[in-house]
Amino acid sequence: GGFPKLTHLTLTGAYLLYDSHLEELLKVCPNLKHLTLSQNSRLGPSGLKFIVEMFGKTLETLSISMCVQLESPHLEPLGNLSTSLASLDLNSLDRLTDLNLSAILKSCGPNLRRLNLADCTGITDDGLDAIVNFCGNELAELSLFGL
């Protein structure tokens, strides 16, 4: 069973999807490249850690925008994403810190083409410095609305 050819999965607004169920679903999607979990109010630390462990080296697009329950320590696994990531949407993660952002961009910044940090109100000048220092020439789209 499973979905061996599935490369894109969108679970926007899946407010009843707990980490344990998400992990079971992702286990049968071995070739996933694009994952959207925006507005998923149940996404927690174990789900995010699982995503990075299973797909961190191959994921090209990740959106966890408006997953407002994620605390700063929950975001630490994102620092293990690889340079295969081309698009990262962290819109409205107001608990994202400069340290989180710096760790994330150290790992995936060089090839990142799209970065959405709109309404990430925890980002300061230090976070902006991280963007300048760690994002490479590939960055074509940057949203900083509401900082």
Side-chain angles (χ1 to χ4, degrees):
F3 306 104
K5 293 186 178 186
L6 188 72
T7 58
H8 292 70
L9 179 61
T10 300
L11 295 167
T12 299
Y15 62 93
L16 296 177
L17 186 65
Y18 288 92
D19 284 352
S20 58
H21 299 121
L22 175 65
E23 291 169 22
E24 290 303 312
L25 176 60
L26 294 178
K27 284 178 185 174
V28 297
C29 304
N31 294 306
L32 201 62
K33 302 278 187 229
H34 308 274
L35 180 60
T36 301
L37 294 168
S38 300
Q39 302 172 8
N40 185 324
S41 61
R42 305 255 189 236
L43 179 64
S46 65
L48 199 55
K49 184 178 178 191
F50 181 84
I51 291 165
V52 173
E53 287 174 355
M54 184 158 178
F55 302 106
K57 302 293 181 220
T58 57
L59 208 57
E60 296 174 14
T61 303
L62 176 63
S63 176
I64 56 170
S65 69
M66 294 184 252
C67 293
V68 294
Q69 73 291 354
L70 291 172
E71 302 281 342
S72 175
H74 303 161
L75 300 170
E76 289 175 8
L78 295 177
N80 295 316
L81 292 169
S82 79
T83 55
S84 65
L85 197 70
S87 178
L88 182 60
D89 187 350
L90 304 175
N91 176 19
S92 298
L93 296 187
D94 57 0
R95 294 180 181 120
L96 179 73
T97 66
D98 293 331
L99 288 174
N100 294 137
L101 183 61
S102 183
I104 294 165
L105 296 180
K106 277 182 189 176
S107 64
C108 67
N111 293 324
L112 210 56
R113 291 192 303 270
R114 180 180 178 274
L115 179 61
N116 185 353
L117 297 172
D119 292 318
C120 291
T121 55
I123 300 301
T124 69
D125 289 347
D126 291 339
L128 299 178
D129 287 344
I131 296 168
V132 171
N133 292 328
F134 298 120
C135 290
N137 295 332
E138 298 299 316
L139 192 63
E141 184 179 339
L142 176 62
S143 179
L144 299 173
F145 175 84
L147 291 194

